[in-house]
């Protein structure tokens, strides 16, 4: 049986699919998050050197990893949209940006909260912190560019180009910052987490999976919003039961 | 029409942009004065201790150069966009990348080059040593073209947008961080008695890398903005 793989690349069909998929990602995200936080706070033992403060890594590490990974996925979607002119890819890129920026921010914020008791300072010009901050700037630049262009086609293409340039630049920035950091100051405290306690691992993986699922669910929900916004004048949107109901209430 | 060589075309675009700029010298001078002013403000902000100023100098000069070149970026394409020249350029049979490269070179000669030439005078304000000053000029000569090249992408993407000036800085500044790091690092290496060769090599590498890719990317960005 031949499967039409491109069926769901049309916003019309994807809108319905996304709506059906969201609960399958959102609920596991909530449950896994609750499990991960429970294990992280009540089961995982106190760390020998960092006492209780280390527990922030259960959120910090997944947020950092996702903030970087989402940028790559976003750039990938943006590139797809630019090359093949597929509208949905551009919409996905636009939908992912705020989530990525949020994770970058959470990563910085939780890092600051961890840094105060550990390093005695809210902010240290550590290579990883600095590149995470620059990543947040890149997200904000992408969002700002998209927001300030009114024509959506141009906005999609322009911000796609920016995302691609950014993703080429990210490794250069990372290694520059790393090198700059080693020139300026000695190595800061490093986490020696090779021999992690089993409960810590479980908590970390649970929250990591929860963050993934959350990111997917939120991106799907946001892309549904974007589809509705852009296709507001089309017949199929006006025929949707939820839109009809809304219009009925208003008239 | 007679066939034109690549370099002939490049020279033509550069000469035209320089001529246009010379007709409105104030624009070029404002950027330069802005650069001098920002650098001179730092001692007023942090105090006149020479030891500290000497340490800060490379970073201050580089950050000021970065800001000054951001200031002049929106002008790169806006005049040609407003009077329709840019559209003609896109319709021209010659490669748009070469035309964009010409505009980048002209922009650098009007913004980066003057900054690099005046930087030693500002360095004296910060009591920098002669070798450090030499390295500063060299680093600026290698690094400011990269700022113009990356900036061209930002300027092309934000062409004709409201508030384009601030937006272009927001897009371009994070991408320029490697240049800032190695540019200031080169001078710092010299003042602390090391060789600046590695830093300068990195700047040179960035310049070549940007030279290959940015004219093409910027011309794509122009096509997106103009369609």
């Amino acid at each position: 049986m031949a499967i039409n793989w491109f069926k769901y690349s049309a916003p019309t069909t994807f809108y319905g699919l996304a709506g059906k998929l969201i609960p399958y990602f959102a609920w596991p995200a909530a449950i896994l998050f609750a499990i991960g936080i429970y294990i992280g706070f009540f089961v995982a033992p106190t760390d020998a050197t960092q006492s209780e403060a280390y527990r922030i890594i259960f959120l910090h590490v997944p947020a950092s990893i996702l903030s970087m990974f989402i940028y790559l996925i976003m750039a990938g979607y943006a590139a797809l949209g630019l090359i093949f002119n597929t509208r949905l890819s551009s919409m996905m890129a636009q939908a992912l940006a705020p989530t990525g920026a949020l994770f970058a921010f959470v990563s910085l914020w939780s890092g600051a909260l961890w840094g105060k008791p550990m390093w005695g300072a809210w902010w240290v010009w550590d290579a990883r912190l600095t590149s995470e901050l620059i990543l947040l700037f890149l997200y904000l630049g992408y969002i700002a560019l998209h927001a300030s262009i009114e024509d959506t086609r141009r906005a999609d293409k322009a911000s796609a180009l920016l995302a691609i340039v950014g993703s080429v630049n990210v490794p250069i920035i990372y290694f520059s910052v790393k090198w700059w950091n080693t020139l300026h100051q000695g190595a800061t405290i490093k986490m020696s987490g090779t021999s992690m306690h089993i409960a810590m691992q479980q908590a970390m993986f649970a929250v990591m999976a929860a963050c993934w699922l959350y990111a997917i669910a939120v991106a799907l929900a946001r892309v549904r919003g974007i589809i509705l916004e852009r296709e507001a004048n089309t017949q199929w949107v006006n025929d949707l039961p939820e839109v009809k109901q809304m219009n009925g209430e208003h008239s | 029409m007679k066939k034109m060589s690549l370099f002939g075309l490049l020279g033509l675009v550069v000469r035209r942009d320089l001529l246009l700029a010379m007709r409105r010298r104030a624009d070029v001078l404002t950027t330069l004065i802005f650069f001098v002013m920002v650098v001179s403000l730092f001692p007023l902000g942090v105090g006149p201790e020479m030891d500290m100023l000497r340490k800060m100098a490379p970073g201050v000069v580089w950050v000021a150069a970065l800001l000054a070149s951001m200031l002049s970026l929106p002008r790169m394409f806006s005049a040609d966009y407003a009077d329709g020249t840019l559209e003609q350029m896109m319709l021209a049979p010659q490669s748009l990348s070469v035309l964009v490269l010409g505009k980048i070179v002209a922009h650098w000669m009007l913004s980066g080059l003057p900054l690099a030439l005046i930087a030693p005078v500002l360095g004296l304000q910060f009591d920098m040593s002669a070798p450090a000053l030499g390295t500063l000029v060299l680093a600026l000569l290698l690094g400011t073209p990269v700022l113009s090249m990356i900036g061209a992408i930002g300027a092309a993407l934000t062409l004709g947008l409201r508030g384009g000036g601030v937006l272009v800085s927001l897009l371009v500044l994070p991408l320029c961080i490697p240049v800032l790091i190695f540019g200031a690092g080169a001078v710092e290496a010299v003042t602390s008695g090391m060789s600046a060769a590695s830093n300068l090599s990195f700047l040179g590498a960035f310049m070549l890398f940007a030279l290959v890719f940015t004219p093409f990317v910027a011309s794509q960005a122009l096509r997106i903005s103009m369609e």
Side-chain angles (χ1 to χ4, degrees), chain B residues 51-109:
Chain B
D51 277 343
M52 189 171 55
L53 289 182
R54 212 175 295 128
K55 264 185 108 169
M56 280 174 47
V60 168
V61 172
W62 262 100
V63 170
L66 210 60
L67 294 177
S69 73
M70 289 305 115
L71 207 61
S72 58
L73 276 182
R75 277 205 304 274
M76 199 187 278
F77 300 113
S78 62
D80 285 347
Y81 176 64
D83 65 11
T85 316
L86 203 58
E87 230 160 310
Q88 298 300 318
M89 284 181 169
M90 301 183 107
L91 294 173
Q94 285 85 9
S95 145
L96 183 61
S97 303
V98 178
L99 297 173
V100 168
L101 182 62
K103 294 193 77 66
I104 291 172
V105 171
H107 177 267
W108 174 73
M109 289 172 80

Side-chain angles (χ1 to χ4, degrees), chain A residues 134 137-138 141 144-145 148-150 153-154 157-158 161-162 165-166 169 172-173 176-177 179-180 184, chain B residues 157-159 161-162 167 170-171 174-175 177-178 181-182 188 198-199 206 209 217 220-221 224-225 227:
Chain A
I134 297 168
F137 290 159
L138 289 177
L145 181 66
S148 58
I149 304 178
E150 268 166 37
R153 262 177 66 83
R154 183 183 161 187
K157 288 186 169 184
L161 201 65
L162 183 72
V165 172
N169 228 298
I172 301 178
I173 292 175
S176 309
V177 170
W179 209 53
W180 160 79
H184 279 250
Chain B
L157 285 176
T158 57
L159 197 60
L161 296 182
R162 272 178 293 105
L167 189 61
L170 206 65
L171 305 184
L175 301 177
I177 287 170
I181 288 174
F182 290 108
E188 239 158 79
S198 58
N199 284 286
F206 289 152
F209 186 68
V217 177
Q220 290 304 310
I224 290 170
S225 297
E227 74 180 17

Side-chain angles (χ1 to χ4, degrees), chain A residues 30-85:
Chain A
I31 294 163
L32 277 170
F33 192 71
I35 293 173
I37 292 297
Y38 175 77
I39 299 176
F41 276 90
F42 299 105
V43 181
T46 307
D47 189 82
T49 49
Q50 306 187 14
S51 69
E52 303 295 343
Y54 88 94
R55 288 181 200 276
I56 203 135
I57 64 160
F58 295 128
L59 182 62
H60 177 73
V61 173
S64 317
I65 292 175
L66 270 169
S67 67
M68 287 178 249
F69 210 80
I70 287 177
Y71 193 88
L72 283 181
I73 299 174
M74 186 183 86
Y77 271 121
L80 275 181
L82 196 62
I83 296 165
F84 298 111
N85 227 342

